[in-house]
Amino acid sequence: MFFRKRRKKQKSLQKHNQVEMFEVKPTQDYVIDHGKTERAKQSIDTNSNEAQVEIDNGELSKQIKKAMNESPDLQIRSLYKESRLITIFFMKGAINEQALHEDVLAIIMKLSAQHITNEELKSNIPISRIQVSHQVTEICSNLMDGWIFIHIQDEQDGLLFNLSQPQYRPLFQSMNEANVLGPKLEFTESLETNAQVLRQLIKDEDLVMESYTLGRRAPKEVRITYMKGIADEENVKTFRERIQSIDVDDILDSSVLIQLIEENVYSLFPQFIMTEQPQRFAYSVLGGRIGVLVNGSPMAVLGPVTFFSFFESTEDLYFRWNVSTFFRLLRFVAVFISMAFTPVYVAALTYHYEVIPSALLVSLGQSRANVPFPPVMEALILEGAIELLREAGARLPTKVGQTIGIVGGIVIGQAAVQAGLTSNILIIAVALSALASFTSPNYVMGTVIRVIRFPLIILAGIAGGVGLTFGLTFLLIHLLKVTSLNRPYLAPIYPWRFRDLTKSIIRIPHLYSTERSSYNNPQDKVKLKENRKKQKKDIDE
């Protein structure tokens, strides 16, 4: 209704009245929270010469069409105000069309021809984010972000207005890191939403967010987040250098980013923590860690971390200190059981019958009387079946997956015993090892523990206790060599830091936890100033 055509005049300009459609690749507009604005100046086509071309009044539509590679989503509309052409470019589905009609087109139609200038449009259109541009690449990049571009005939520059309407899911309860106590919110794929949630948790101007653009073909915004005055400058510098050194086509997810910046790329063990809980992210940043938010990923990254950090749960902060300490120690015991229980069973039955009590040895002999496989093969078959059930349950829909996991485990276990393929006692050992691996609050670390179990079983079957000892020793030596942001992975055990034990392996009352962990080397070490005085009360009071 706002578009007019003049059929008798300016016939040479009628081509602007048609809708032209071209193909694009998504990109983003990036803002650094220090007040500086950074634009991703990525070329739409790396082999194109349009990257440095300025707009031409007579060939503007052709320039943008060529740069956008004939996109079917590009929309071009033309308006005339007393023979003066106004051309509007936008991407279908990427903008709020209601705002386009009410806040842009309606204002333009009300202005007289002499007031149709860039300055007048900037003053009258009620949109906060406005840019002036004359570079074709910058215009196309903003169009894909949900901006509209308005060009007035005979003007050297055009105006970009942000009418973006990104499609993101709303905030929901955390599913992968569910808590009984404490906040239940999780991050989403929207970086702006995640940043706002984080600022609601940390209302401090010292919360710094540095913005970077990664990806040549599909640029994405990445923000390094830390507390100024708390985070170690060396850690921030290391993180910054590794982020800036990345040169890839696309960053699919924060998990891919981790693999591009970690030191030990061949290690099974994760060297950064991924979390979907804003509360855990905020707590870690306040403790001196550095976080990374990636646009399009609901998982945030935290570092540096230790091996013991993966067995800490946010819920530990909400329980009483003695209960939290019990749960943490239980997780460490469960990790050892998950790794070593089945290999110890294989080693004992293969080489070390003397370590098995006599009464239990009789039961083992009876249960294995009809089993045709050696213990190592028996254990590998059963462990493989457990992993198949777990993987199938994870890939199927939720209700079906749970049913398959429970019913499949019962049916396969019972059938395997009756068929003489395995013994009852091994089923108990494998089931206990599987349950123990699920006690890890971090899914990635739990998966690593299950994978490590297989080579340990093979070593135990080849050389018994000697092979198992060799495997565990090799594992310990590897962990001693692993680092996270150039920090030791096994701290506070190696190097030994007694004071940090209360912040990783055990937990003490909040009243006495007055300092931040020295592992992160925080600038401000004190987090709680103890002003409470002990009062002695008389018995009769």
Side-chain angles (χ1 to χ4, degrees), residues 189-203:
E189 288 77 9
S190 170
L191 190 146
E192 293 184 354
T193 302
N194 295 341
Q196 182 59 31
V197 169
L198 188 59
R199 291 197 179 279
Q200 291 177 3
L201 295 174
I202 307 177
K203 298 180 180 180

Side-chain angles (χ1 to χ4, degrees), residues 486-537:
N486 300 323
R487 307 248 172 213
Y489 197 59
L490 280 185
I493 300 300
Y494 176 81
W496 176 255
R497 294 189 182 98
F498 178 76
R499 296 178 67 88
D500 284 351
L501 286 176
T502 60
K503 302 173 183 63
S504 57
I505 298 178
I506 63 175
R507 190 174 83 75
I508 61 175
H510 288 298
L511 182 63
Y512 301 108
S513 182
T514 59
E515 294 184 355
R516 296 180 174 87
S517 174
S518 61
Y519 175 78
N520 300 319
N521 196 23
Q523 299 182 47
D524 183 8
K525 299 184 181 299
V526 179
K527 69 175 182 179
L528 174 64
K529 295 181 179 179
E530 189 176 359
N531 296 321
R532 184 169 132 183
K533 296 181 180 179
K534 295 182 179 179
Q535 296 181 356
K536 293 184 179 180
K537 293 185 178 182

Side-chain angles (χ1 to χ4, degrees), residues 181 313-329 331 502 505-512 532:
L181 303 179
S313 171
T314 311
E315 206 170 32
D316 294 343
L317 301 173
Y318 309 127
F319 282 114
R320 295 189 61 81
W321 68 272
N322 36 23
V323 177
S324 298
T325 299
F326 170 77
F327 284 138
R328 286 189 182 180
L329 295 177
R331 293 179 198 128
T502 60
I505 298 178
I506 63 175
R507 190 174 83 75
I508 61 175
H510 288 298
L511 182 63
Y512 301 108
R532 184 169 132 183

Side-chain angles (χ1 to χ4, degrees), residues 433-452:
S433 298
L435 287 175
S437 68
F438 294 130
T439 60
S440 172
N442 186 276
Y443 176 79
V444 177
M445 181 58 76
T447 303
V448 169
I449 297 302
R450 290 194 295 272
V451 171
I452 289 174

Side-chain angles (χ1 to χ4, degrees), residues 190-355:
S190 170
L191 190 146
E192 293 184 354
T193 302
N194 295 341
Q196 182 59 31
V197 169
L198 188 59
R199 291 197 179 279
Q200 291 177 3
L201 295 174
I202 307 177
K203 298 180 180 180
D204 192 329
E205 62 276 7
D206 286 335
L207 177 63
V208 178
M209 293 186 180
E210 297 180 2
S211 177
Y212 299 91
T213 303
L214 299 181
R216 292 188 303 268
R217 296 288 183 178
K220 284 187 179 180
E221 183 181 7
V222 175
R223 291 189 185 181
I224 298 178
T225 307
Y226 60 93
M227 290 296 298
K228 184 179 180 181
I230 297 180
D232 180 35
E233 289 295 335
E234 187 65 27
N235 288 342
V236 175
K237 181 182 177 182
T238 303
F239 233 130
R240 189 184 293 127
E241 289 175 350
R242 293 184 185 179
I243 292 291
Q244 292 176 336
S245 65
I246 296 175
D247 185 16
V248 294
D249 285 345
D250 181 29
I251 299 294
L252 299 176
D253 187 70
S254 56
S255 57
V256 177
L257 177 66
I258 287 176
Q259 298 175 53
L260 293 172
I261 63 176
E262 61 188 6
E263 297 102 293
N264 307 274
V265 294
Y266 297 108
S267 175
L268 280 174
F269 293 91
Q271 291 134 55
F272 294 93
I273 284 180
M274 291 191 301
T275 180
E276 63 179 1
Q277 288 188 336
Q279 192 68 29
R280 180 169 190 176
F281 189 88
Y283 172 78
S284 299
V285 169
L286 287 171
R289 286 194 177 119
I290 296 94
V292 176
L293 299 173
V294 179
N295 192 34
S297 174
M299 304 295 288
V301 179
L302 290 169
V305 296
T306 69
F307 174 78
F308 306 101
S309 301
F310 292 91
F311 302 96
E312 298 174 10
S313 171
T314 311
E315 206 170 32
D316 294 343
L317 301 173
Y318 309 127
F319 282 114
R320 295 189 61 81
W321 68 272
N322 36 23
V323 177
S324 298
T325 299
F326 170 77
F327 284 138
R328 286 189 182 180
L329 295 177
L330 179 64
R331 293 179 198 128
F332 295 133
V333 173
V335 168
F336 183 78
I337 291 175
S338 179
M339 286 193 303
F341 196 23
T342 306
V344 167
Y345 170 88
V346 172
L349 285 185
T350 307
Y351 295 99
H352 309 290
Y353 285 103
E354 65 276 5
V355 301

